[in-house]
Amino acid sequence: MGKRVVITGLGVCAPNGIGISDFTTALQNGKSGIRFQPQLQELKFGCQVAAEPLVKDNLVNQYFTPLQLRGLNASGIVYGVIAGTDAWKDAGLSIIEDSSPDWDSGVIFGTGILGVDKFRESIHLVDDKNVRRLGSTTVSQTMASGISAYLGGIFGCGNQVTTNSSACTTGTEGILMAYDRIHSGKAKRMLTGSCSDSGPYVWGGFDAMRILPRSYNDNPTKASRPMSADAAGFVPGSGAGALVLESLESAMERGARIYAEVLGGAVNSGGQRGEGTMTAPNSEAVQRCISEAVMNANILSTDIDVINGHLTATAKDPMEIENWSMALKRSKLDFPFVNSFKGMFGHCLAAAGSIESVGAVLQLKHNQVFGNTNCEKLHADIEKLVDRSRIPTQTINYTPNIIAKASFGFGDVNACVIFKRYSD
Amino acid sequence: MAHKENYTILKDIIKIYLPEDVSVNDISEDSHFINELNINSANLVDVVLDVEDAFDIRLENEDMDQMQTVKDALQIVDKKISEK
């Protein structure tokens, strides 16, 4: 019998709210974080709207030392350190100044690509035969594990400190990796989360694939339309989410507030076989992932009250809903409540799973299901499977007991985690 | 006079790299960057770049090797400026 694992801290740096309090209000009220981006217009992007956190300089100064700020040009690190530090403090954990590390605490903080702007800066210097001018932090700002290295150093973590990367599945996968480490007794607590850089060099590849909406440049808040009949592609985003996972006994010992219990979940891949490709999911794998998550969590599919989907606002949304319906064997009025937060802040890529998991857990705390933005007219194929009342367009008061959160990513990879209201 | 000015500029550059347990007042001309001011050796690379920018000079690898103390740095700066 493994250790029970609970969530004791949350932090977020999202396009529609920085800090748990602002983020909660934003989710409750359907506040959008999607804005017109003059830089994307100048660079002749098809999609000129995006969602990025608005981080003010004086806020950054609260999280970084003046030395750390010297030459810092990695937005993912800024977002990740803000979210990670907030989660750590929210859990009531202090920053130890001892010379000895905290052997029981670790960090699993993922990203897709880190420090893109710093890397660009370096490329220019190198090409100008000026490699000597790179400075000492080019490596730490551009290595993928830079974010876990920054966080581990700030908190003095002596357990596993690493970065996972599985495209848009990253954040959700990280929660399950942290869960496994605590469940198996290898760590008492893990800071987990993920971050994603902002900017044209991250988003350009998606624009080139023509999977971003191009007709909302004058109407940014309407651009991201998950599950809707006129969904036109995902809006690129960025940011970070963070959660402190901890063994129940450690949380009890510390008298920590418990947001929720993590019952477990599943990760798998469709192997890019059958209908699965580098960019499209294999439905059989998605369904297996969801079914295995239910099994591993030791619940019944009928126990799930709310689904927080991946649901990016592309043509694949109806297929995702069908996969949930098949895997859970539930439909129409019997389908759980389902929402996607991407209508508000687009698709934050590697950060999506963690930002959205923070939001999913906040629903347990506030006894609510946050509303779906820009989903007035459901896609016909979704309407056939799910009763309209299960896809609220406004936040509703409801007391969920169990929430399933899934993320799917390029490479045909899947992750599904099960959160439960905590009770002894 | 120039020497005093350069020393002030150098102190300003150095202070950001000092660990928490070393104060600006601990800096003297004889201070050894790594052994006494406890500046991380990786950061010494950044000190050199800042010095280059502040005095509009270029330091070569051998200059960096010789730059052990604050006084060493000041001497190298003086020399580079006079060669300009």
Side-chain angles (χ1 to χ4, degrees):
Chain A
M1 188 69 184
K3 308 260 187 212
R4 287 176 73 181
V5 178
V6 294
I7 299 169
T8 55
L10 298 175
V12 73
C13 184
N16 65 341
I18 299 171
I20 292 302
S21 162
D22 283 5
F23 183 59
T24 304
T25 313
L27 291 180
Q28 287 168 331
N29 299 315
K31 183 183 169 193
S32 180
I34 300 169
R35 299 169 197 92
F36 174 68
Q37 308 283 331
Q39 190 190 12
L40 300 185
Q41 180 184 45
E42 197 183 311
L43 293 171
K44 300 193 186 310
F45 272 51
C47 172
Q48 298 166 4
V49 299
E52 61 178 314
L54 298 178
V55 184
K56 299 201 171 80
D57 284 351
N58 62 1
L59 185 77
V60 176
N61 293 338
Q62 294 168 27
Y63 293 87
F64 292 89
T65 64
L67 180 54
Q68 285 174 323
L69 287 172
R70 292 274 306 183
L72 182 61
N73 193 13
S75 51
I77 291 179
V78 172
Y79 307 147
V81 166
I82 290 174
T85 306
D86 280 3
W88 194 259
K89 290 185 175 163
D90 187 48
L93 296 163
S94 54
I95 294 175
I96 52 159
E97 303 293 347
D98 298 9
S99 55
S100 174
D102 171 3
W103 305 113
D104 296 322
S105 299
V107 181
I108 298 178
F109 215 99
T111 191
I113 183 165
L114 196 67
V116 171
D117 292 333
K118 187 72 182 178
F119 197 46
R120 179 175 184 267
E121 208 181 284
S122 314
I123 287 169
H124 286 306
L125 284 167
V126 171
D127 287 352
D128 288 345
K129 304 180 176 60
N130 227 344
V131 64
R132 54 186 293 283
R133 295 280 316 175
L134 288 185
S136 74
T137 63
T138 297
V139 175
S140 50
Q141 287 189 55
T142 62
M143 61 186 195
S145 61
I147 184 55
S148 52
Y150 268 75
L151 289 165
I154 292 170
F155 308 127
C157 292
N159 206 283
Q160 183 182 23
V161 174
T162 191
T163 286
N164 65 306
S165 191
S166 51
C168 305
T169 307
T170 300
T172 305
E173 178 187 64
I175 295 172
L176 289 168
M177 292 169 75
Y179 166 85
D180 283 342
R181 192 144 182 99
I182 300 165
H183 186 66
S184 62
K186 290 178 181 152
K188 277 188 184 170
R189 68 190 68 83
M190 297 296 291
L191 174 67
T192 185
S194 57
C195 62
S196 194
D197 273 27
S198 294
Y201 310 107
V202 180
W203 300 325
F206 299 102
D207 198 63
M209 293 173 80
R210 307 179 70 85
I211 51 178
L212 312 184
R214 293 167 169 240
S215 51
Y216 290 88
N217 294 342
D218 299 330
N219 206 357
T221 62
K222 300 286 177 206
S224 179
R225 316 183 64 76
M227 293 184 281
S228 121
D230 52 0
F234 78 78
V235 171
S238 58
L243 307 90
V244 173
L245 265 58
E246 188 162 3
S247 72
L248 177 60
E249 52 198 57
S250 162
M252 300 286 262
E253 246 171 57
R254 296 196 304 116
R257 170 202 36 212
I258 295 172
Y259 282 103
E261 179 165 2
V262 181
L263 294 183
V267 293
N268 75 355
S269 168
Q272 300 174 46
R273 292 293 183 272
E275 62 184 328
T277 66
M278 176 60 80
T279 56
N282 173 328
S283 288
E284 187 189 347
V286 170
Q287 291 172 29
R288 283 179 74 107
C289 182
I290 295 167
S291 306
E292 280 171 27
V294 168
M295 223 154 47
N296 293 346
N298 205 15
I299 58 169
L300 301 171
S301 70
T302 47
D303 293 332
I304 294 175
D305 301 308
V306 178
I307 292 167
N308 182 252
H310 187 58
L311 300 167
T312 60
T314 65
K316 299 285 181 198
D317 289 2
M319 189 202 271
E320 179 181 336
I321 294 292
E322 189 183 347
N323 286 331
W324 282 106
S325 179
M326 301 274 281
L328 301 179
K329 299 184 176 60
R330 294 172 63 180
S331 61
K332 309 278 182 184
L333 260 175
D334 179 47
F335 200 80
F337 283 114
V338 55
N339 58 12
S340 166
F341 302 145
K342 292 186 176 79
M344 289 176 266
F345 50 73
H347 187 358
C348 299
L349 305 172
S354 59
I355 297 176
E356 293 164 15
S357 288
V358 169
V361 169
L362 286 170
Q363 298 180 120
L364 290 172
K365 182 185 175 202
H366 292 278
N367 298 316
Q368 288 178 319
V369 177
F370 300 139
N372 288 286
T373 307
N374 298 327
C375 185
E376 289 74 26
K377 188 161 172 22
L378 272 185
H379 191 286
D381 293 343
I382 295 177
E383 201 149 24
K384 278 182 212 151
L385 286 170
V386 182
D387 189 84
R388 173 78 247 202
S389 65
R390 312 310 282 172
I391 309 178
T393 54
Q394 302 280 330
T395 296
I396 57 168
N397 292 321
Y398 170 79
T399 305
N401 193 42
I402 292 185
I403 296 180
K405 163 69 195 154
S407 296
F408 313 115
F410 276 16
D412 203 4
V413 291
N414 311 305
C416 180
V417 58
I418 308 287
F419 301 117
K420 182 175 178 287
R421 177 178 301 281
Y422 172 68
S423 65
D424 19 330
Chain B
M1 193 59 201
H3 181 83
K4 200 176 169 192
E5 262 174 39
N6 291 352
Y7 182 45
T8 312
I9 294 171
L10 191 58
K11 267 207 322 205
D12 268 349
I13 290 173
I14 295 168
K15 71 180 179 201
I16 196 170
Y17 297 100
L18 296 175
E20 274 172 21
D21 54 346
V22 180
S23 101
V24 189
N25 300 327
D26 296 334
I27 304 175
S28 76
E29 288 203 32
D30 291 325
S31 307
H32 191 281
F33 288 113
I34 293 174
N35 298 342
E36 282 162 37
L37 299 179
N38 292 339
I39 291 177
N40 176 334
S41 60
N43 280 144
L44 215 46
V45 170
D46 302 310
V47 173
V48 168
L49 296 182
D50 290 353
V51 167
E52 289 191 338
D53 290 339
F55 298 102
D56 192 22
I57 54 175
R58 176 180 165 133
L59 303 180
E60 304 301 334
N61 283 338
E62 51 273 23
D63 300 322
M64 298 186 200
D65 294 341
Q66 282 169 24
M67 214 181 87
Q68 306 277 322
T69 65
V70 175
K71 196 187 277 171
D72 295 341
L74 285 167
Q75 276 168 2
I76 292 165
V77 167
D78 284 345
K79 180 163 156 267
K80 292 285 170 181
I81 291 175
S82 70
E83 284 169 8
K84 275 213 289 191

